[in-house]
Amino acid sequence: MSYIHTDLIRATYRGDMAHRHVTALSGFHRIQASPGYRAAAHYVAEQLAGAGLEVQVFGYQADGATRFWSTPSFLEWSCESASLHLLPANPGGSPALLCDFSSIPTSLVQRSISVEGEFEVVMPRGKGGIELADYEGLDVAGKVVLTKKIPSRVARVAVSQLGAAGILFYGMEAGGRTELDLPDARQYSSFWWPGQAEPDAWGFVISPRQGRDLAARLEKGETLRVAASIDSRLYPGAIEVVEARLPGDAMAGGEEILLVSHLCHPQPGAHDNASGAAALIEAAATLARLIADGRLPAPRRGIRFIWPPEMTGTFAYLAESASFAGIEAGGAPGEGNGRWLAGLNLDMVGADQAQTGGQWELVDLPQAAASFADHLLAYLREPFLKNIRHTETVFSAGSDHYILSDPTVGIPAPMMIHWPDRFYHSSEDTPEKVSPDSLARSGALAAIYAYWLAMAAAAEAEWLGHWMVSRFSTWAGRAAAEVVEKVRGAATAAARHAAWVRYRKNNAFRTDRMAAALSQLVRIDPGMRARVPAWSERIAAVAAEEERWARAALDGLVADGGTPSSGEPWMAEAARLIPQRKFPGPLDVSLILQADHPDLLPRLWSLNEAFGKMAHDYEPVLQYWADGRRTVAEIGELAWLELGREADEHTLAYFKLLAEAGLLQLSESGGA
């Protein structure tokens, strides 16, 4: 694709129009499987149809009985009204309004059940209500529990086990912020009732300032009572996914590029994720307009765009589309997908950085699914980087790309995101925090990326291979220089040895993964099969030469011996157990356990705490490598090389938990 085409797409992309879509979408309360989400989906479909695209709105079962691969569905939810008043301590006083769903939708814990009544407020100790010990000496039956902890966690103890009436939540820790940043906002919170789980909880969300005031009064011994009213329903309904398509040349064999942006989240949800949805609407409209006008040639490959509810809708769309997507249960990982050449996820792509405090991130592919897609996006992004904070990061999960990029799905999809965002998942995520300029950068780049891949043939694949080899050479040189400085600065022989061992392993790992990425260029053009061996030899030679240079520069400070095993029992077991997944796509373990094995949830929560903040990314990466070819010990080392977290006994425990839940098979190496 020529510079003329990329410049044309960028020049004709309308950031202001995308921002108008952000404002419109922010007016819908877009909870997954709800009337508000459905209305937003039809708005998107109308805009796309008006732009001349082929549009469909798919409806998938939101009934609690249906499974999309391993993922259970859940009931649709609607809420007509909800309010919470603090009752006066003295007779004749006026109730104080704490929460009103109609004015601030995030003031309700989403998917709350109906309630009508007056309740005393109590406050647990310890860890804030997530463990039974937090309620020692406290009678919570029929009362409302004030907490800063995740309402769904608290409800499993307070409501399900101890008979509490409901939850009153005032936490504000997400998106790189604390409660001091947004003292008067409400953090988005939700219950989930997957599968046949019986909904049994309701809750409200107050601001940190309100919560601190109530907590202080309870500490002083005051008795607080609230009047709660919720008119809501849970019922069999539908999960909508909007799809738009730009057809390709029949000679391309039906190959397509898949772009996704989730449409859900509570009102206003402007940056997360009306921004991604709006940017993608305008990306699709821009390409459709330029192709219809004859200013862009019709693409060789088709381009398909989808707007699902985050993750749950993508699971549904792919599972129901498996017959034409080429995704089969137990399919061989790492071989790519027969229909979709590559993908891209747009999530929170329109930040006004001066307000949100974030930077524009390109999130790379997981190394288990190494491909050319993130390398291409990194190159195409370079002209857009002026006057904006930006970075490229290793793989991180948490949005729809983590499903597409799973090796069993085979649609390599990097993500664009502005992160962190101090207004994330809060009532303050409003349209004025979104920048038309940022929308234009992200949306135009998405359109350029999709069109480049849709037009790519042998010449483009050859160019991309050269770019990837050049990027690897730069990385290898930098890694060698960094290890020399690190070893020279180490205080002990053990630290020097550890740094050197890590470098050598990472050098080999990155070489192997780049070779795997280069091999995927045959997806663009089969003729690259003859070129891949030479590229692979070249990067191996570069890696070896840089390692020789580093060893010589360190002049005897390091030796090549491995790190001795600690001999811990879990390591021996991890070295003989081989996990293999039973389902395509990543496992939403929390949702599955809630539906099928609620008794196992505390073990998952304990593991999440042991993994720390990295659990969000570490657990999916462990799953990706569980292909029946590697032991737990080998997978742990691969995850360490990718993400930096060393495997421990909790890594083994995670795989044992998945096996106990029937989500994967653990076999002995050698068939023992």
Side-chain angles (χ1 to χ4, degrees), residues 53-289:
L53 286 102
E54 301 176 10
V55 182
Q56 294 188 76
V57 180
F58 297 101
Y60 304 108
Q61 298 93 329
D63 56 11
T66 303
R67 297 280 169 139
F68 304 112
W69 293 332
S70 62
T71 303
S73 68
F74 43 83
L75 295 171
E76 183 169 321
W77 176 78
S78 65
C79 182
E80 293 298 322
S81 63
S83 63
L84 184 74
H85 289 82
L86 180 64
L87 298 176
N90 301 316
S94 298
L97 180 64
L98 293 177
C99 302
D100 180 15
F101 175 76
S102 62
S103 59
I104 305 178
T106 49
S107 65
L108 180 68
V109 179
Q110 309 303 310
R111 297 187 182 85
S112 285
I113 63 174
S114 288
V115 69
E116 193 76 41
E118 297 182 4
F119 308 90
E120 183 181 344
V121 180
V122 295
M123 184 171 61
R125 306 290 183 178
K127 292 186 177 180
I130 61 175
E131 295 183 357
L132 277 171
D134 302 339
Y135 300 91
E136 187 174 348
L138 184 65
D139 177 16
V140 301
K143 301 174 183 178
V144 173
V145 174
L146 177 68
T147 182
K148 295 168 67 173
K149 297 298 182 179
I150 298 172
S152 57
R153 284 282 306 269
V154 176
R156 284 198 61 81
V157 180
V159 176
S160 300
Q161 297 182 50
L162 300 178
I167 307 295
L168 185 52
F169 172 65
Y170 68 105
M172 188 52 73
E173 293 186 11
R177 63 168 180 258
T178 70
E179 62 182 44
L180 298 178
D181 294 305
L182 296 177
D184 298 310
R186 319 287 177 109
Q187 180 166 306
Y188 165 38
S189 183
S190 180
F191 296 120
W192 291 89
W193 314 109
Q196 301 301 311
E198 184 67 28
D200 65 356
W202 55 267
F204 285 90
V205 181
I206 57 177
S207 72
R209 192 189 305 276
Q210 291 173 313
R212 289 195 302 270
D213 176 65
L214 296 183
R217 293 171 65 179
L218 289 171
E219 289 281 5
K220 292 177 182 178
E222 291 187 40
T223 298
L224 303 179
R225 293 184 62 80
V226 293
S229 176
I230 302 173
D231 180 7
S232 65
R233 289 196 307 133
L234 288 148
Y235 50 90
I239 298 169
E240 283 82 18
V241 176
V242 182
E243 178 194 80
R245 181 171 174 267
L246 290 170
D249 189 329
M251 298 299 291
E255 287 185 334
E256 293 183 340
I257 318 303
L258 182 66
L259 276 67
V260 58
S261 183
H262 75 81
L263 181 58
C264 60
H265 281 359
Q267 185 183 13
H271 192 213
D272 187 15
N273 186 37
S275 68
L280 194 58
I281 292 171
E282 183 58 22
T286 299
L287 291 176
R289 186 170 62 250

Side-chain angles (χ1 to χ4, degrees), residues 253-334:
E255 287 185 334
E256 293 183 340
I257 318 303
L258 182 66
L259 276 67
V260 58
S261 183
H262 75 81
L263 181 58
C264 60
H265 281 359
Q267 185 183 13
H271 192 213
D272 187 15
N273 186 37
S275 68
L280 194 58
I281 292 171
E282 183 58 22
T286 299
L287 291 176
R289 186 170 62 250
L290 292 174
I291 292 167
D293 292 347
R295 289 187 284 173
L296 282 181
R300 295 178 61 238
R301 299 178 181 88
I303 305 173
R304 201 175 292 256
F305 311 83
I306 62 170
W307 290 261
E310 188 173 23
M311 291 182 276
T312 56
T314 301
F315 276 123
Y317 178 83
L318 292 174
E320 296 294 300
S321 304
S323 60
F324 72 80
I327 304 167
E328 302 293 340

Side-chain angles (χ1 to χ4, degrees), residues 586-615:
L587 302 167
D588 190 330
V589 181
S590 178
L591 207 64
I592 295 168
L593 294 188
Q594 286 182 66
D596 301 334
H597 303 282
D599 57 307
L600 297 180
L601 273 171
R603 283 170 56 187
L604 178 65
W605 294 335
S606 178
L607 286 169
N608 288 342
E609 291 173 4
F611 292 145
K613 292 183 179 179
M614 192 167 285

Side-chain angles (χ1 to χ4, degrees), residues 36 210 241 362 376 430 458 467 563 639:
Q210 291 173 313
V241 176
L362 187 172
L376 172 63
T430 49
W467 163 245
T563 302

